[in-house]
């Protein structure tokens, strides 16, 4: 049997928006963190401490996964979720190190698009005519918003193009993880599933991490690393819970707003601390494209059928 959403679409929307904001600012924090650490150590630290934080929280709430439920878990599907989320994390960081936050966030938007298409195919979700119109508006908005950057990407060569290709693969890996995560919700609550995934991913990266490099970090880089870790816990917890209450195709539509949050954040950080990160310039055409992206996402997210449970 396939997982069915609870129908609490307002809660699903709110949780999706929390994820958007956190994922939108994440590339900036990761870019700063990569100035001091390698991609494997950053990824290992984020997973290991996310596991520890969530384990302490669930233990305090007496909500750790029971043994009888663990025995009935589809471990093949759990392994798919762990492996592909681990691939997404490491490939995204590799691509980010070779490109820039704005470019990385543009390309990683393939992930929710692929997740949405997977929701339509695998979970038999359906878009209304108005939602398909929203898809068209959103697509046009992205073309306008990222027109200059996409042109630069097409013309790019060498390291920048390699990094962009890596991020595309990371997006595909994330979509596979997300669909596996949704199906796992049949067996355990989202928090329990994320605990298992964090622990599994942390173990995968342990042989490649260099913990000694943490001792030479500055307070700024420590702050960014801790923020990235907390971002992992809250953002993925919100995302996983959103899938419990809302269709994957509609969650993916809201996640399409993340690049706009990224570019606004890059501009704000560049204005406040010019030496930390370069400022992004947005043209009038780009602003119009941003409006279309927001409008298209809202049309997809809120254009539910009359038969959908509203609570």
């Amino acid at each position: 049997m396939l997982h069915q959403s609870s129908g609490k679409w307002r809660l699903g929307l709110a949780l999706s928006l929390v994820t958007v904001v956190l994922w939108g600012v994440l590339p900036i924090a990761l870019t700063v963190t990569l100035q001091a650490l390698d991609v494997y150590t950053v990824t290992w630290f984020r997973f290991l401490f996310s596991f520890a934080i969530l384990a302490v929280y669930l233990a305090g709430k007496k909500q750790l996964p029971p043994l009888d439920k663990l025995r009935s878990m589809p471990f093949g599907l759990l392994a798919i979720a762990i492996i592909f989320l681990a691939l997404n994390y490491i490939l995204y960081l590799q691509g980010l190190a070779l490109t820039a936050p704005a470019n990385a966030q543009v390309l990683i938007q393939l992930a929710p698009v692929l997740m949405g298409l997977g929701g339509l195919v695998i979970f038999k979700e359906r878009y209304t005519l108005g939602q398909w119109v929203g898809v068209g508006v959103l697509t046009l908005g992205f073309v306008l918003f990222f027109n200059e950057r996409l042109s630069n990407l097409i013309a790019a060569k060498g390291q920048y193009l390699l990094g962009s290709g890596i991020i595309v693969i990371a997006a595909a890996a994330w979509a596979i993880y997300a669909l596996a995560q949704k199906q796992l919700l049949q067996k355990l609550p989202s928090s329990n599933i994320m605990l298992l995934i964090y622990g599994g991913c942390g173990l995968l990266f342990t042989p490649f991490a260099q913990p000694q490099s943490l001792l030479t970090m500055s307070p700024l880089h420590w702050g960014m690393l801790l923020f990235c870790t907390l971002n992992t816990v809250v953002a993925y917890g919100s995302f996983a819970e959103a899938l419990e209450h809302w269709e994957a195709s509609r969650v993916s539509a809201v996640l399409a707003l993340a690049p706009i949050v990224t570019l606004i954040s890059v501009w704000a950080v560049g204005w406040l601390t010019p030496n930390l990160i370069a400022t992004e310039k947005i043209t009038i055409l780009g602003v119009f494209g941003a409006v279309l992206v927001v409008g298209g996402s809202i049309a997809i997210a809120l254009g539910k059928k009359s038969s959908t449970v509203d609570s």
Side-chain angles (χ1 to χ4, degrees):
M1 293 180 63
L2 298 175
H3 174 264
Q4 298 294 319
S5 301
S6 71
K8 298 178 180 178
W9 69 270
R10 289 189 181 91
L11 179 57
L13 173 60
L15 291 167
S16 300
L17 289 174
V18 170
T19 306
V20 163
V21 173
L22 291 175
W23 282 353
V25 300
L26 181 61
I28 300 171
L30 286 173
T31 299
V32 176
T33 305
L34 288 173
Q35 297 170 358
L37 289 177
D38 65 277
V39 294
Y40 296 101
T41 304
V42 171
T43 306
W44 166 79
F45 186 95
R46 289 176 69 193
F47 278 127
L48 181 66
F49 278 83
S50 295
F51 172 80
I53 292 169
L54 188 55
V56 170
Y57 173 79
L58 292 178
K61 292 281 190 177
K62 297 183 179 180
Q63 295 177 356
L64 289 171
L67 288 177
D68 58 327
K69 289 289 186 69
L70 289 177
R71 293 192 188 98
S72 64
M73 282 289 291
F75 288 102
L77 192 61
L78 179 62
I80 289 173
I82 291 172
I83 291 170
F84 280 93
L85 183 60
L87 280 174
N88 166 261
Y89 265 56
I90 198 65
L91 291 175
Y92 180 77
L93 275 183
Q94 292 278 15
L96 181 63
L98 295 173
T99 58
N103 179 70
Q105 195 65 288
V106 173
L107 293 175
I108 204 64
Q109 286 314 295
L110 285 171
V113 171
L114 292 172
M115 183 189 82
L117 293 175
L120 295 176
V121 174
I122 297 175
F123 294 103
K124 310 303 181 186
E125 299 172 2
R126 293 291 181 267
Y127 277 174
T128 63
L129 178 59
Q131 287 177 295
W132 282 114
V133 172
V135 171
V137 171
L138 182 144
T139 303
L140 176 60
F142 272 122
V143 171
L144 296 178
F145 190 67
F146 297 112
N147 179 56
E148 294 179 5
R149 293 171 181 83
L150 291 174
S151 299
N152 293 336
L153 175 61
I154 293 171
K157 295 180 181 179
Q159 176 176 296
Y160 198 84
L161 189 58
L162 174 62
S164 299
I166 291 173
I167 292 173
V168 170
I169 298 173
W174 185 89
I176 295 172
Y177 145 75
L179 292 169
Q181 155 80 30
K182 183 169 178 63
Q183 183 63 16
L184 285 170
L185 290 170
Q186 278 198 316
K187 298 296 183 180
L188 284 173
S190 60
S191 57
N192 286 184
I193 295 170
M194 293 314 302
L195 180 69
L196 298 175
I197 291 176
Y198 290 154
C201 289
L203 288 175
L204 282 179
F205 286 106
T206 298
F208 308 102
Q210 299 179 21
Q212 66 275 11
S213 60
L214 297 170
L215 302 176
T216 61
M217 290 173 58
S218 69
L220 171 64
H221 292 117
W222 261 112
M224 291 296 101
L225 180 60
L226 291 175
F227 172 79
C228 291
T229 302
L230 292 174
N231 188 300
T232 298
V233 176
V234 179
Y236 270 89
S238 299
F239 168 71
E241 190 66 17
L243 290 176
E244 176 68 38
H245 301 294
W246 216 15
E247 294 94 333
S249 54
R250 301 187 187 190
V251 173
S252 72
V254 177
L255 297 185
L257 300 175
I260 296 176
V261 177
T262 299
L263 290 196
I264 293 173
S265 302
V266 167
W267 175 83
V269 172
W271 181 71
L272 293 171
T273 55
N275 296 327
L276 187 63
I277 193 167
T279 304
E280 293 282 349
K281 295 181 179 179
I282 304 176
T283 64
I284 297 298
L285 189 63
V287 172
F288 180 64
V291 173
L292 293 181
V293 169
V294 173
S297 295
I298 292 174
I300 298 170
L302 302 184
K304 63 186 189 304
K305 296 180 179 180
S306 58
S307 60
T308 301
V309 177
D310 186 1
S311 53

